[in-house]
């Protein structure tokens, strides 16, 4: 258990180190995902920006309503000025200002998003076809990467979750899928989390909802379970008979040592029969008495 925790901690540390290295490398290389300096828009860009500022000042106070934008507590705004991400990255929550002619922005929801993985027909390692579905919880960790590095982060995460589910279950046999759901979920979460780091997405949790087996396989497993229960019942009954025979053997040895014990047992039996209000009572006779009559 401790080895598993240490391995998970090491994986998380390696993932964070890779993410930091990637961010640093991205900043050093001036890639479009994090290229957020205003000095690269060029001379024409600065002319358009100054013209937009002048137009905004001339149309005050009407233009102020086009410049002021509000984002909610759980949102962030990515501002593009002439197609480039504005300095400072994501804005919000609260008020921020844009230039009406040169700036545009995209709102990114930072809350945890939940989606169902559609049932996937998977061929297991032992050649059994099963239908498995699940649920994934993720959130946007870096709004800039989620906008600049991928077209649709939500759709990409959904498709990646489906393929990851099929790939992970394809390496398991049926018994492991039915018993090790938690391990499969952790494996899927680690794989998805590593793959979505470049998109600024953090996969928080993955759960396997249901595993549907073919009808023929369900009947075969039910028949196997029923046969197993019947076999256990027969074994238990045989053990009971063996224990009863041993007890009777010990009782016969006690009665053989004391013949009067048999008479007492007989009287006790008659008392029990009489208490049940029976109309007929059978008195057993010793075989020795019958032998004297047979001789005559």
């Amino acid at each position: 258990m401790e080895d598993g925790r240490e391995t998970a901690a090491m994986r998380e540390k390696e993932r964070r180190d890779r993410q930091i290295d990637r961010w640093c490398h991205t900043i050093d290389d001036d890639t479009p995902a994090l290229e957020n300096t205003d000095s690269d828009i060029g001379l024409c860009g600065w002319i358009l920006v100054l013209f937009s500022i002048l137009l905004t000042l001339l149309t005050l106070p009407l233009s102020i309503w086009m410049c002021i934008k509000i984002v909610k507590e759980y949102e962030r705004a990515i501002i593009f000025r002439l197609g480039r991400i504005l300095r400072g990255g994501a804005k919000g929550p609260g008020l921020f200002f844009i230039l009406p002619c040169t700036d545009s922005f995209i709102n990114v929801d930072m809350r945890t998003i939940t989606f169902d993985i559609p049932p996937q027909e998977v061929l297991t390692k032992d050649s059994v076809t099963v239908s498995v579905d699940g649920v994934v919880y993720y959130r946007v960790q870096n709004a800039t990467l989620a906008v600049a590095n991928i077209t649709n982060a939500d759709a990409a995460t959904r498709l990646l979750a489906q393929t990851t589910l099929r790939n992970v279950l394809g390496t398991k046999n049926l018994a492991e899928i039915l018993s090790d759901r938690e391990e499969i979920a952790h494996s899927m979460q680690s794989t998805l989390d590593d793959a979505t780091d470049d998109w600024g997405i953090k996969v928080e949790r993955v759960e396997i909802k249901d595993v549907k087996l073919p009808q023929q396989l369900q009947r075969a497993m039910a028949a196997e379970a029923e046969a197993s229960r019947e076999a256990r019942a027969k074994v238990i009954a045989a053990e009971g008979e063996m224990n009863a025979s041993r007890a009777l053997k010990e009782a016969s040895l006690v009665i053989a040592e004391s013949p009067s014990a048999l008479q007492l047992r007989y009287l006790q039996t008659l008392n029990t029969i009489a208490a049940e209000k029976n109309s007929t009572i059978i008195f057993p006779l010793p075989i020795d008495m019958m032998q004297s009559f047979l001789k005559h």
Side-chain angles (χ1 to χ4, degrees):
M1 189 66 178
E2 294 180 356
D3 295 339
R5 293 179 180 176
E6 292 178 357
T7 303
M10 293 177 61
R11 290 179 179 176
E12 183 67 18
K13 183 178 179 181
E14 292 176 357
R15 186 188 66 80
R16 292 178 180 176
D17 293 340
R18 289 197 303 268
Q19 189 175 21
I20 294 173
D21 293 340
R22 181 168 52 254
W23 288 351
C24 295
H25 181 72
T26 304
I27 293 174
D28 293 338
D29 293 344
D30 290 331
T31 57
L34 295 177
E35 189 176 13
N36 50 17
T37 59
D38 297 336
S39 60
D40 297 332
I41 60 178
L43 179 60
C44 293
W46 278 112
I47 292 174
L48 292 175
V49 170
L50 293 176
F51 177 77
S52 179
I53 295 174
L54 180 61
L55 183 62
T56 302
L57 294 176
L58 292 176
T59 56
L60 286 175
L62 296 178
S63 60
I64 194 65
W65 303 108
M66 301 179 61
C67 296
I68 296 177
K69 301 297 180 181
I70 300 175
V71 292
K72 299 178 182 178
E73 181 68 30
Y74 53 84
E75 292 179 337
R76 298 295 182 271
I78 306 299
I79 303 176
F80 293 89
R81 175 163 295 171
L82 297 177
R84 296 179 179 273
I85 296 178
L86 194 63
R87 181 188 300 247
K91 305 295 183 180
L95 291 172
F96 64 95
F97 296 88
I98 64 172
L99 296 177
C101 300
T102 59
D103 293 355
S104 62
F105 69 96
I106 298 176
N107 282 341
V108 180
D109 196 332
M110 305 296 289
R111 293 176 295 181
T112 298
I113 300 174
T114 305
F115 66 87
D116 293 327
I117 302 176
Q120 303 293 310
E121 295 289 339
V122 181
L123 184 64
T124 62
K125 189 176 181 180
D126 50 355
S127 301
V128 178
T129 302
V130 295
S131 178
V132 184
D133 58 353
V135 60
V136 177
Y137 301 85
Y138 78 93
R139 61 180 175 85
V140 177
Q141 192 172 21
N142 189 311
T144 304
L145 295 179
V147 171
N149 282 6
I150 192 167
T151 304
N152 191 331
D154 182 72
T157 304
R158 292 173 184 268
L159 293 176
L160 183 62
Q162 296 179 22
T163 57
T164 303
L165 177 63
R166 299 175 68 91
N167 293 336
V168 171
L169 295 181
T171 61
K172 306 289 184 180
N173 55 40
L174 181 60
E176 292 175 346
I177 293 176
L178 296 177
S179 60
D180 298 337
R181 294 190 181 186
E182 186 176 356
E183 181 181 354
I184 294 174
H186 285 309
S187 178
M188 285 187 59
Q189 179 184 353
S190 177
T191 303
L192 287 173
D193 202 17
D194 291 340
T196 56
D197 277 344
D198 293 334
W199 307 340
I201 290 177
K202 169 66 177 178
V203 178
E204 297 179 338
R205 190 178 183 88
V206 178
E207 292 292 342
I208 302 298
K209 291 176 60 178
D210 190 16
V211 179
K212 296 181 181 179
L213 304 178
Q215 294 293 332
Q216 296 180 353
L217 183 59
Q218 292 182 14
R219 289 194 292 267
M221 294 179 66
E224 180 182 0
E226 183 178 0
S228 178
R229 288 194 297 269
E230 290 180 356
R232 288 197 300 269
K234 291 180 180 179
V235 170
I236 293 173
E239 291 178 353
E241 292 291 338
M242 182 176 61
N243 294 332
S245 62
R246 290 177 179 175
L248 291 175
K249 179 182 177 181
E250 294 176 359
S252 63
L253 294 177
V254 174
I255 292 175
E257 294 176 358
S258 178
S260 60
L262 180 61
Q263 185 67 21
L264 294 176
R265 182 61 180 165
Y266 169 67
L267 295 175
Q268 184 179 3
T269 304
L270 289 180
N271 186 22
T272 303
I273 295 174
E276 297 178 358
K277 299 181 180 180
N278 293 325
S279 58
T280 303
I281 298 177
I282 300 175
F283 290 93
L285 295 177
I287 298 178
D288 296 337
M289 295 179 61
M290 300 299 297
Q291 288 179 353
S292 61
F293 289 103
L294 290 175
K295 291 179 180 179
H296 293 292

